[in-house]
Amino acid sequence: MIKVKFPDGNVKEFEKGINGLEIAKSISPSLAKASLLVEVNGEVCDLTRPIEEDCSFSLLTNKNIKEEKVLEVLRHSTAHLFANAIKELYPEAKIAIGPSIDNGFYYDFEMPEGQKISDKDFPKIEKRMGEIIKRNLPIERKEISRNEAMEMYAELNEHYKIELINDLPHDEKITTYKQGYFSDLCRGPHLPSTGKISKFFKLHKIAGAYWRGDSKNTMLTRIYGACFASQEDLDNYFKMLEEAEKRDHRKIITAMDLCHFEHDFAPGAVFWHPKGLVLYRTLVEFMREEQEKAGYIEIDTPRIMDRSLWETSGHWQKYGEHNFSGKTEDDRTFCVKPMNCPGGMLVFGKGIKTYKDLPLKVAEFGKVNRYEPSGSLHGLLRVREFTQDDAHIFCREDQIKDQVLEATEFLMRIYQIFGFENVRIKLSTRPDNRIGSDEIWDISEKALSDVLNENGYNFEIFEGEGAFYGPKLEFVMKDCIGRDWQMGTIQLDMSLPERFDLHYVDEHGEKQRPIMLHRAMLGSVERFLGILVENYAGHLPLRLAPVQAVVMPIADRHHEYAQKVCDALEDGLKKENVVGKFRLEKNFKVESVQKKIRDAQLSKAPYMIIIGDNEVETETVSLRHFDGKQDNGLSIKDLVEKLEKEINKKKK
């Protein structure tokens, strides 16, 4: 017999090997009918999975369908449903992989020669998916031997599945999930039957994807589907996608003349134009100013360093194929840095440090280069060359909690300044491929979770998603249309200081190993700017806007007074801008006011300053906002004060 503890604290005994569905039936037939999954000792499992030992137990029913852990299984089951439909409609197609993802799923498959799928085929595929739901086929989990699996998929002529099996550890159990005649290699869990799968799904995107992300492999067809627990959620998702399309930063930065990309000559690198560089510099200088106030010092380290440095740090072994490197005439291999950390190690290691020097907070705005597949490059959001706003905080063990808390509060404050109030925190723990002892990882993970718990921060734990050298906190922001963006990180690292043999002298004159925190706030300057542009649809806060106002006299006779207004603004607001004087654009062209307003709207200027006969006579201005509102009769003094107040609105 085994003891099963329910959420209300009651404990019941059952025969060993009983499953969740049988337990549900023992309580009530209606509960069994509504049940979708079970949670055993915190792990989500199939309803029919045998329970072999004492456990805590809860049933996940239709009432839990909107919970993330249930939605993930729903989406994965829908991916299998999709693959099932593909095999029925296109029997010669070869299926590859199909995971659940945020908001839905995708599935990769290879179409037979001469056959193609387009988005015009989506309704036909969706209809077949609906038919399979109506069949209410049981979704059955089965453990099989490696040989059985190889024979089964060889008979089905599914060579991608055979390759996946070959790559599995020989001692790993192989599980398949079968629904009707369709079977897929999968760890699960899944819903109990196709009839339990939500009908609230929609196929919406088709793309090419190399098998296993390697351009040397076959190009597969990838189809994306959205999947939710209700029609309302599905509709809201597509409304969000429609809004996101309008906000596509690639279109906006082109219209604003901020930058461009030359993929033939510099794939994944940004060519900043004058206005874009003003935006870039304004952001960097603002961050530099905030870091200096928070006690950081700034360094700058070389872009190219010897391969041996990256071998010491472990980055070569982990990311070697994604590094840009080459040999010199003296047969040395140099690497363009993919990250700033090793340079920071070398700076700390130069000279003697004592306990009085700690914590030492070292910041760097360093250009880094990483090879990303060409198909994944996406404007400013996914590039091969970017600027990381890194900081490395060296501290004593007794300072860890204070420094993690200080860095967390710093990040949260900066995000609020930029208008991101809704920030989630993820604690990512040790991955399989890691450096450092389990003891070090235990200490590191506990330190991070203790800081969050003790200071009232809600967080989610993501097992196995930490960096190879330490656990990390990830800060996920939600933008104004509901999209999540993973931004800054704080990573606790006890391994790299050991690898680089860093030390400080304690109060007893003994050498001690420092603890290091890696801290990135923006993640990358380029990506953060892309997110800002999309979040604000190009209408950036006044402090950041490349063009802060456009001065537009109506006729030639108004030019002299218009210039006086420009001089007053540039002089009065010079100290309020991080980069240079107030950023005015003077449109003194012989054009209609309507044409000038349209041009200013395209440039996303926050304000238009309109000057006509009345303004010259009264020595005032008309201030038009980008949204069409207008303040008439503002004195120059009032104008300067208004803009000064807005520039500083979220500065503190």
Side-chain angles (χ1 to χ4, degrees):
M1 300 293 285
I2 59 171
K3 293 180 179 179
V4 175
K5 184 178 181 181
F6 291 85
D8 62 2
N10 285 332
V11 177
K12 291 186 178 181
E13 289 192 344
F14 295 94
E15 290 285 342
K16 186 178 180 181
I18 194 170
N19 64 44
L21 182 59
E22 291 166 338
I23 293 176
K25 286 178 179 177
S26 74
I27 299 171
S28 80
S30 61
L31 180 61
K33 187 176 180 180
S35 295
L36 301 174
L37 299 155
V38 293
E39 198 165 3
V40 179
N41 290 332
E43 179 186 359
V44 177
C45 303
D46 303 301
L47 270 179
T48 54
R49 186 86 170 267
I51 302 172
E52 305 288 349
E53 59 187 12
D54 295 350
C55 66
S56 61
F57 172 93
S58 62
L59 286 161
L60 299 172
T61 70
N62 293 327
K63 292 180 180 178
N64 305 102
I65 192 68
K66 291 198 175 187
E67 293 179 19
E68 199 59 41
K69 57 191 172 187
V70 181
L71 268 177
E72 184 178 353
V73 176
L74 167 64
R75 288 163 177 162
H76 195 181
S77 295
T78 309
H80 279 223
L81 175 72
F82 167 79
N84 189 165
I86 288 290
K87 290 297 290 183
E88 289 189 7
L89 293 169
Y90 310 93
E92 299 304 313
K94 306 302 175 193
I95 57 174
I97 57 170
S100 62
I101 57 175
D102 289 346
N103 304 307
F105 62 91
Y106 71 77
Y107 215 107
D108 293 345
F109 53 93
E110 181 184 351
M111 291 298 290
E113 190 173 347
Q115 274 193 297
K116 286 186 178 180
I117 287 182
S118 73
D119 54 8
K120 293 178 182 178
D121 298 303
F122 288 176
K124 176 176 66 175
I125 301 169
E126 290 169 346
K127 182 180 178 183
R128 183 57 62 94
M129 291 169 71
E131 291 170 2
I132 299 170
I133 289 176
K134 288 178 182 177
R135 294 175 204 164
N136 197 23
L137 302 170
I139 302 176
E140 301 168 316
R141 179 182 187 273
K142 187 177 180 182
E143 282 189 17
I144 58 177
S145 69
R146 178 179 291 270
N147 287 338
E148 286 178 300
M150 295 291 279
E151 288 174 8
M152 180 176 74
Y153 287 109
E155 186 177 336
L156 293 170
N157 197 21
E158 295 287 359
H159 61 90
Y160 293 110
K161 299 298 178 183
I162 291 172
E163 187 176 330
L164 290 171
I165 294 167
N166 278 327
D167 287 348
L168 291 173
H170 279 271
D171 58 350
E172 184 168 334
K173 292 178 181 178
I174 295 176
T175 57
T176 62
Y177 280 81
K178 186 174 183 293
Q179 53 196 53
Y181 293 106
F182 176 77
S183 178
D184 205 352
L185 185 71
C186 185
R187 290 191 177 95
H190 281 277
L191 299 180
S193 71
T194 60
K196 297 286 189 181
I197 296 176
S198 157
K199 297 178 183 179
F200 309 117
F201 60 80
K202 185 175 178 61
L203 306 178
H204 65 95
K205 183 180 175 183
I206 189 166
Y210 290 111
W211 170 236
R212 296 190 153 181
D214 189 337
S215 59
K216 296 175 184 175
N217 292 334
T218 303
M219 174 70 80
L220 303 177
T221 298
R222 173 174 293 180
I223 289 181
Y224 290 86
C227 178
F228 289 87
S230 71
Q231 187 64 46
E232 182 184 7
D233 289 345
L234 185 66
D235 291 343
N236 287 339
Y237 175 68
F238 280 98
K239 287 177 185 174
M240 183 272 288
L241 287 184
E242 186 178 337
E243 182 61 29
E245 178 67 22
K246 296 175 187 175
R247 294 167 178 264
D248 187 333
H249 76 282
R250 293 169 298 180
K251 298 176 183 176
I252 295 173
I253 61 177
T254 299
M256 294 176 69
D257 192 26
L258 300 183
C259 62
H260 79 279
F261 301 88
E262 288 280 1
H263 289 303
D264 289 340
F265 303 108
V270 186
F271 288 77
W272 290 106
H273 298 183
K275 290 178 184 177
L277 190 59
V278 166
L279 175 58
Y280 176 98
R281 288 179 58 208
T282 300
L283 177 60
V284 170
E285 291 301 328
F286 171 73
M287 293 304 305
R288 183 169 275 139
E289 177 186 292
E290 292 297 314
Q291 288 185 153
E292 286 178 1
K293 287 191 291 188
Y296 288 79
I297 57 173
E298 188 174 340
I299 62 170
D300 185 54
T301 60
R303 290 279 300 277
I304 299 174
M305 291 182 273
D306 191 277
R307 169 177 172 166
S308 60
L309 176 72
W310 309 102
E311 289 174 336
T312 299
S313 70
H315 291 106
W316 186 268
Q317 296 86 328
K318 180 72 175 175
Y319 303 111
E321 63 186 28
H322 297 291
N323 292 337
F324 289 96
S325 59
K327 285 192 174 182
T328 57
E329 290 182 359
D330 55 358
D331 204 34
R332 293 178 64 184
T333 299
F334 285 84
C335 176
V336 181
K337 68 178 176 182
M339 50 196 62
N340 296 313
C341 318
M345 305 293 107
L346 297 182
V347 171
F348 182 89
K350 197 71 175 173
I352 298 172
K353 305 293 187 299
T354 75
Y355 69 99
K356 292 181 179 179
D357 297 313
L358 305 184
L360 183 62
K361 298 183 281 189
V362 183
E364 179 173 13
F365 292 94
K367 284 277 188 188
V368 299
N369 291 73
R370 298 177 193 170
Y371 180 79
E372 301 284 356
S374 57
S376 70
L377 300 177
H378 184 79
L380 294 172
L381 302 181
R382 192 75 177 267
V383 291
R384 289 178 178 170
E385 180 179 80
F386 52 96
T387 306
Q388 280 196 309
D389 67 317
D390 271 331
H392 299 101
I393 303 168
F394 300 91
C395 63
R396 306 188 306 264
E397 190 169 339
D398 63 301
Q399 295 172 324
I400 291 176
K401 287 188 177 182
D402 285 344
Q403 291 308 305
V404 171
L405 177 60
E406 183 181 299
T408 299
E409 290 176 340
F410 190 18
L411 264 69
M412 298 294 264
R413 185 176 69 82
I414 293 297
Y415 296 150
Q416 288 173 0
I417 287 174
F418 287 109
F420 297 106
E421 303 284 346
N422 191 342
V423 181
R424 292 187 294 113
I425 301 177
K426 295 165 52 177
L427 170 56
S428 298
T429 60
R430 68 194 77 186
D432 292 333
N433 185 10
R434 60 182 181 269
I435 60 176
S437 67
D438 286 341
E439 181 184 4
I440 285 177
W441 279 88
D442 289 341
I443 295 169
S444 302
E445 290 171 355
K446 185 176 186 303
L448 292 179
S449 61
D450 283 352
V451 169
L452 298 176
N453 282 321
E454 291 168 9
N455 292 280
Y457 285 103
N458 295 321
F459 64 99
E460 305 165 76
I461 296 177
F462 283 73
E463 299 287 351
E465 294 191 15
F468 72 95
Y469 48 75
K472 61 181 177 179
L473 301 181
E474 299 180 61
F475 295 80
V476 181
M477 304 186 303
K478 192 176 290 292
D479 70 12
C480 66
I481 61 172
R483 295 174 299 178
D484 284 341
W485 300 95
Q486 196 275 308
M487 294 305 306
T489 57
I490 298 172
Q491 302 170 13
L492 181 51
D493 186 354
M494 296 185 177
S495 297
L496 286 186
E498 184 173 341
R499 285 188 163 220
F500 281 88
D501 193 26
L502 302 183
H503 60 266
Y504 67 91
V505 179
D506 67 15
E507 60 269 39
H508 305 296
E510 301 291 331
K511 287 184 178 181
Q512 301 293 341
R513 189 79 67 202
I515 310 298
M516 186 175 73
L517 300 177
H518 303 253
R519 189 236 69 196
M521 197 170 306
L522 307 179
S524 94
V525 173
E526 290 77 2
R527 184 168 177 270
F528 192 76
L529 286 174
I531 292 168
L532 279 178
V533 167
E534 294 205 357
N535 184 63
Y536 289 104
H539 297 291
L540 295 165
L542 186 63
R543 183 177 177 83
L544 286 174
V547 175
Q548 294 173 311
V550 179
V551 178
M552 46 184 75
I554 294 174
D556 289 353
R557 62 182 178 275
H558 308 131
H559 286 187
E560 184 179 347
Y561 178 67
Q563 185 60 53
K564 179 182 176 182
V565 172
C566 293
D567 293 342
L569 282 171
E570 290 174 345
D571 183 59
L573 293 171
K574 186 174 183 180
K575 295 180 181 177
E576 304 307 323
N577 278 280
V578 175
V579 180
K581 58 189 178 181
F582 191 72
R583 298 187 286 275
L584 283 174
E585 191 169 274
K586 305 170 188 178
N587 190 343
F588 286 23
K589 297 176 184 175
V590 181
E591 294 174 338
S592 69
V593 175
Q594 288 73 24
K595 173 69 165 57
K596 292 180 179 181
I597 289 173
R598 282 197 301 273
D599 289 345
Q601 288 173 331
L602 284 175
S603 75
K604 306 292 185 183
Y607 290 110
M608 290 156 258
I609 299 170
I610 302 170
I611 296 168
D613 289 336
N614 186 60
E615 285 75 25
V616 172
E617 184 179 337
T618 58
E619 292 196 339
T620 62
V621 299
S622 291
L623 185 67
R624 182 185 174 94
H625 303 238
F626 74 86
D627 59 4
K629 295 177 183 176
Q630 192 154 316
D631 298 324
N632 296 319
L634 277 179
S635 69
I636 296 177
K637 180 175 180 292
D638 288 343
L639 175 64
V640 171
E641 288 178 355
K642 177 181 175 62
L643 297 180
E644 178 183 1
K645 184 177 179 181
E646 184 168 343
I647 288 172
N648 289 313
K649 186 163 55 176
K650 287 192 174 182
K651 190 176 177 183
K652 296 182 180 180

